[in-house]
Amino acid sequence: MQSRFRSDRRLTARMGVTLFLLGLLYVGFVAALIVLLKSWVLVVVIAAALLGAQYWFSDRIALYAMRGRVVEREEYPGLHGVVDRLCAIADMPKPVVAVSDIDMPNAFATGRNADHAVVCVTTGLLRRLEKDELEGVLAHELSHVAHKDVAVITVASFLGVIAGLIVRFAFYSQLFGGGRRDQNTAVVFAAVMGVSAAVYAISFVLIRALSRYRELSADRSAALLTGRPSALASALTKVSGDIARIPTKDLRTAQAFNAFYFSPALGREPGIARFFSTHPSLEQRLDQLGRISAELGEAAAPGGA
């Protein structure tokens, strides 16, 4: 079913190209492992099993990792009310609503499609945002679901994890299994590690380039759906400022899931590292929302708290 979120053909094209390139990359990776390890059954079965598990259980994995739990309307009526209203406006299925009991103000969406999606917000976000700001953040997350980029980034982000697990498993299998019979174990190990490092580096760049664009696309779609880009800009400003004040040790676990978050769990704005970031800079996001606000003739200036 087509939602009322404005379509983004450039996002669709980027997702297609990214998945195609990653697909070629990992076919080559698996082929290289088969040649090096001489066990195609082992490599293919483990790769397929892990990728399938990630695709089907990504929502549960993300919720567990971020200490999220599904909540009913009776417990969070206001949150459910905002999600209900946005889903009605967007003409899309309502996702499962969850809350993570952590102070870091943030939100994320996960799931393999619109019918199996989860939108989760932290209690820190609920405490800090006004209703219109929360609506902007949730519209942003629902846009990820509607555009299907949440499923794409879920699969793409974990391909590197899968590659690492394959390498580790295969290495120990070779080391403790056939290592006594094969004098070239060290050479095989070095070759596998070299291929793995190259695959990880290329996938790292591809995924982050897609992630930065999809965040701008979700901001744009959310602003146009709600008609309140200033509210989303205000939420971004609040969230980014508050995250910067959260102790670094409290952000370490969350940083592994930055690609899924509304705002990256970073203690400060990165320097040159922004080119490898999962999100565009706050300035870029506010600038885009400012242009949309001017186009819509919105009275309130974006960026104000």
Side-chain angles (χ1 to χ4, degrees):
M1 182 174 62
Q2 184 70 36
S3 77
R4 292 197 180 102
F5 277 105
R6 182 171 296 186
S7 63
D8 190 330
R9 293 182 180 179
R10 286 184 295 177
L11 175 62
T12 302
R14 285 169 185 253
M15 290 192 296
V17 170
T18 300
L19 284 179
F20 177 73
L21 292 175
L22 285 173
L24 288 180
L25 184 66
Y26 281 91
V27 166
F29 179 48
V30 170
L33 288 182
I34 291 172
V35 170
L36 291 168
L37 301 175
K38 300 182 175 67
S39 178
W40 70 269
V41 174
L42 174 68
V43 174
V44 172
V45 168
I46 294 177
L50 290 174
L51 184 58
Q54 174 55 36
Y55 178 75
W56 287 99
F57 303 111
S58 60
D59 53 347
R60 300 179 193 178
I61 294 171
L63 281 180
Y64 176 79
M66 294 314 303
R67 292 180 284 170
R69 62 184 180 86
V70 176
V71 295
E72 302 300 331
R73 183 182 303 276
E74 294 74 20
E75 191 174 0
Y76 284 89
L79 176 60
H80 272 272
V82 173
V83 175
D84 285 337
R85 179 175 179 275
L86 289 171
C87 288
I89 295 172
D91 191 21
M92 64 182 291
K94 181 181 178 181
V96 172
V97 179
V99 169
S100 174
D101 189 18
I102 58 178
D103 187 53
M104 181 186 68
N106 230 319
F108 66 90
T110 185
R112 61 184 184 273
N113 55 45
D115 293 320
H116 299 86
V118 177
V119 171
C120 181
V121 299
T122 67
T123 52
L125 186 81
L126 293 175
R127 283 197 298 269
R128 289 170 171 86
L129 299 190
E130 302 296 331
K131 184 178 179 179
D132 60 340
E133 295 169 338
L134 177 62
E135 184 179 74
V137 172
L138 290 172
H140 171 105
E141 297 304 328
L142 290 174
S143 171
H144 284 317
V145 175
H147 288 152
K148 301 181 178 62
D149 60 276
V150 64
V152 171
I153 207 72
T154 294
V155 173
S157 294
F158 280 85
L159 285 174
V161 175
I162 291 172
L165 289 174
I166 291 173
V167 171
R168 182 177 299 177
F169 188 88
F171 167 65
Y172 285 118
S173 174
Q174 177 78 7
L175 185 63
F176 296 111
R180 292 186 300 272
R181 301 185 302 272
D182 187 358
Q183 299 300 316
N184 295 321
T185 299
V187 175
V188 172
F189 170 73
V192 169
M193 291 300 104
V195 171
S196 176
V199 167
Y200 179 80
I202 296 171
S203 61
F204 182 93
V205 173
L206 288 174
I207 291 166
R208 276 152 181 77
L210 173 62
S211 181
R212 288 192 297 274
Y213 183 85
R214 85 182 190 112
E215 291 302 325
L216 288 172
S217 177
D219 284 348
R220 183 165 54 249
S221 295
L224 293 173
L225 182 77
T226 62
R228 292 291 307 277
S230 64
L232 180 57
S234 178
L236 268 170
T237 304
K238 279 187 180 180
V239 168
S240 299
D242 285 348
I243 287 178
R245 290 191 287 271
I246 291 177
T248 303
K249 64 182 180 65
D250 294 337
L251 300 178
R252 287 172 185 165
T253 301
Q255 286 172 357
F257 292 86
N258 268 344
F260 296 90
Y261 277 127
F262 167 69
S263 184
L266 299 172
R268 57 186 175 84
E269 187 74 15
I272 193 171
R274 72 178 58 193
F275 297 107
F276 303 102
S277 174
T278 55
H279 289 63
S281 68
L282 176 62
E283 288 77 10
Q284 283 180 282
R285 299 176 77 174
L286 293 181
D287 182 62
Q288 176 182 248
L289 291 171
R291 293 195 302 271
I292 296 173
S293 181
E295 291 170 7
L296 295 178
E298 190 183 35

